[in-house]
Amino acid sequence: MTLSSQPHCRSCGAPLTLTLVDLGLSPLANSYIPLAKADAEEAKYPLHARVCESCWLVQVDDVVPADHIFHGDYAYFSSFSESWLAHCKAYAAKMTDELKLNGRSLVVEIASNDGYLLQYFKGVGVPVLGVEPSGNTAAEAEKKGVPTLVEFWTEALATRLHDEGRRPDLICSANVLAHVPDINDFVRGVARLLTGDAVYTVEFPHLLNLIQKVQFDTIYHEHYSYLSLLAVEKIFADAGLRVFEVEELPTHGGSLRVYACLKDASHAERPGVAKVRADEKAARFDSAEGYMGFTARCEAVRDGLNDFLMTAHHGRKTVAAYGAAAKGNTLLNYCGVGADQIAYCVDRNPAKQKTLLPGSHIPVFDADELRRRRPDFVLILPWNIKDEVMDQLQDLRAKGTRFVTAVPHMSVMV
């Protein structure tokens, strides 16, 4: 697709004429800038989310090749969030029990990152295999004893694994289905590797929450799609998969965990499926009206953050940011915020420290920088873990530092 051509749906091919929100030009959300390259020209790309009025898949324009995003220097490591690790440990225990996994089973995770999830299956003796395209995160998984293929998940790879005799009891993926430009090929790969009553589970932030809670900052180039159950069920059905259960989760601002199997498998449909279908029907996700008015609500968030920063500046209050998260970079770039408004950002991930945030060029330090400087306000960019962050920084809070979030509206925690 060229930028001047009519965009078409990446799943069904229909023309895309309905806009959810146009966030303008933005750098890649995880393209942190080394200090030595602070003056280098920075690539920016259109960030425009559209709605397919045929299959109702919400998606951004396909303007960045996947290998420009997921590469050997990819900076996202899943293991730096304690709450996320707890979530994954609980999932592993649940699935091991439900599917009666043991030493003769196999769990395959697609986009296994640094082994954050598979380590828990391995820890109870269940054989595992990770598939992860980013070499640096895959290397960390190998250090944990998690065997990992450094490849993109495709139908061709699934066919190769099938021909090698791999027969997983469980295929899982968390927050990856939205990251693939060819979503149909990805899902066909899952169907190719499943056999019998084997199960596929996938987690993704629910589009319903994105719209109702104005979570536009979760829109960035590596998130090619924004998923509803309505759209996912159609994509799965076209590949020969059937959804038999849906769980609503608090992670990432409100997610779904979808359970799928081959269409002829024995799993009976559970009540969670009908419940989410009804919620999306009530939100009018099957009509254009369900997606109208979102731009104005995003603009209100932008205005609220800029008003807060202007007031802080005039009052000679210092503002720092916590969490060099991709969602934060979307927020800061859409709002036009820079290092003159937010002095610095901190992050626990060493790969992001001693860099500049893309676009805004706010410098990133380790979390102790907050204790060294004691700002008046800390803007928590990954609002989905704000409770975890405030717990970690109780000592600052006791000394008068206040914590704020900008989504779905400016909020100062007391």
Side-chain angles (χ1 to χ4, degrees):
M1 185 190 88
T2 62
L3 293 183
S4 60
S5 67
Q6 169 69 56
H8 287 74
C9 177
R10 63 173 31 89
S11 179
C12 74
L16 298 173
T17 59
L18 177 60
T19 288
L20 180 66
V21 64
D22 184 351
L23 298 174
L25 291 174
S26 185
L28 299 182
N30 277 302
S31 58
Y32 299 89
I33 303 168
L35 296 178
K37 297 183 179 179
D39 296 328
E41 186 174 353
E42 190 174 10
K44 295 185 178 182
Y45 306 89
L47 188 54
H48 191 152
R50 306 176 193 265
V51 184
C52 176
E53 294 178 81
S54 177
C55 70
W56 303 109
L57 179 66
V58 176
Q59 55 209 277
V60 294
D61 291 349
D62 192 354
V63 295
V64 187
D67 59 4
H68 287 200
I69 301 174
F70 306 104
H71 47 67
D73 294 323
Y74 187 57
Y76 183 80
F77 289 77
S78 295
S79 292
F80 283 99
S81 171
E82 294 170 5
S83 58
W84 179 245
L85 290 179
H87 168 81
C88 295
K89 186 176 183 179
Y91 165 81
K94 173 184 172 72
M95 298 311 295
T96 299
D97 179 58
E98 284 194 8
L99 300 181
K100 297 179 171 53
L101 302 177
N102 54 43
R104 297 182 301 278
S105 306
L106 175 63
V107 176
V108 172
E109 186 187 9
I110 305 169
S112 48
N113 199 262
D114 59 6
Y116 70 101
L117 170 62
L118 291 181
Q119 64 182 334
Y120 297 117
F121 287 105
K122 181 178 180 296
V124 294
V126 177
V128 300
L129 175 65
V131 179
E132 169 56 50
S134 299
N136 58 339
T137 53
E140 291 302 312
E142 291 280 358
K143 292 177 184 177
K144 295 181 174 82
V146 174
T148 306
L149 300 176
V150 184
E151 299 189 46
F152 283 98
W153 179 261
T154 61
E155 185 179 11
L157 173 58
T159 298
R160 192 181 88 210
L161 295 175
H162 179 273
D163 292 346
E164 290 173 357
R166 311 271 190 165
R167 296 293 184 269
D169 301 88
L170 172 65
I171 303 175
C172 51
S173 60
N175 304 306
V176 62
L177 190 59
H179 289 66
V180 291
D182 191 344
I183 195 169
N184 295 334
D185 179 80
F186 182 99
V187 175
R188 285 196 303 266
V190 171
R192 180 71 180 93
L193 196 55
L194 288 179
T195 55
D197 278 345
V199 171
Y200 172 52
T201 71
V202 56
E203 296 179 25
F204 52 83
H206 192 190
L207 179 65
L208 187 68
N209 292 300
L210 187 155
I211 292 177
Q212 292 184 344
K213 299 178 182 179
V214 207
Q215 296 170 351
F216 71 90
D217 56 342
T218 61
I219 297 172
Y220 37 97
H221 296 100
E222 70 184 60
H223 281 179
Y224 291 91
S225 304
Y226 302 83
L227 301 169
S228 61
L229 180 61
L230 176 66
V232 164
E233 283 204 273
K234 185 180 188 311
I235 293 167
F236 279 22
D238 289 346
L241 297 178
R242 175 172 58 84
V243 173
F244 68 90
E245 172 66 309
V246 181
E247 295 177 354
E248 296 176 86
L249 307 172
T251 53
H252 296 285
S255 297
L256 298 182
R257 178 184 290 152
V258 171
Y259 294 67
C261 57
L262 295 174
K263 62 180 181 180
D264 295 327
S266 67
H267 299 284
E269 185 174 302
R270 301 176 192 171
V273 182
K275 194 272 184 186
V276 176
R277 283 180 188 147
D279 289 345
E280 293 188 351
K281 183 73 172 177
R284 306 181 76 180
F285 272 11
D286 56 354
S287 69
E289 287 75 14
Y291 307 90
M292 299 293 193
F294 190 63
T295 293
R297 298 169 68 205
C298 296
E299 291 170 347
V301 171
R302 179 187 63 194
D303 295 345
L305 176 58
N306 283 323
D307 288 348
F308 166 79
L309 293 172
M310 184 180 298
T311 300
H313 177 72
H314 288 160
R316 299 186 182 277
K317 303 294 186 182
T318 56
V319 181
Y322 183 101
K327 59 166 54 75
N329 292 326
T330 291
L331 174 72
L332 297 174
N333 282 291
Y334 175 63
C335 297
V337 174
D340 55 336
Q341 295 154 290
I342 295 179
Y344 58 94
C345 180
V346 303
D347 198 278
R348 297 176 65 193
N349 184 348
K352 297 180 181 181
Q353 295 164 9
K354 298 181 181 178
T355 68
L356 303 176
L357 295 182
S360 66
H361 286 212
I362 296 169
V364 184
F365 302 100
D366 63 88
D368 281 339
E369 191 73 11
L370 293 175
R371 296 182 174 93
R372 288 188 284 267
R373 296 207 217 177
R374 282 180 51 190
D376 296 296
F377 294 98
V378 174
L379 172 63
I380 301 175
L381 295 173
W383 40 258
N384 52 300
I385 59 168
K386 68 178 186 298
D387 293 336
E388 176 183 336
V389 171
M390 289 190 291
D391 284 345
Q392 292 171 4
L393 301 173
Q394 281 288 357
D395 56 321
L396 281 175
R397 199 174 184 184
K399 294 175 181 176
T401 294
R402 304 182 77 183
F403 296 89
V404 299
T405 53
V407 175
H409 49 75
M410 280 306 305
S411 178
V412 180
M413 270 67 76
V414 295

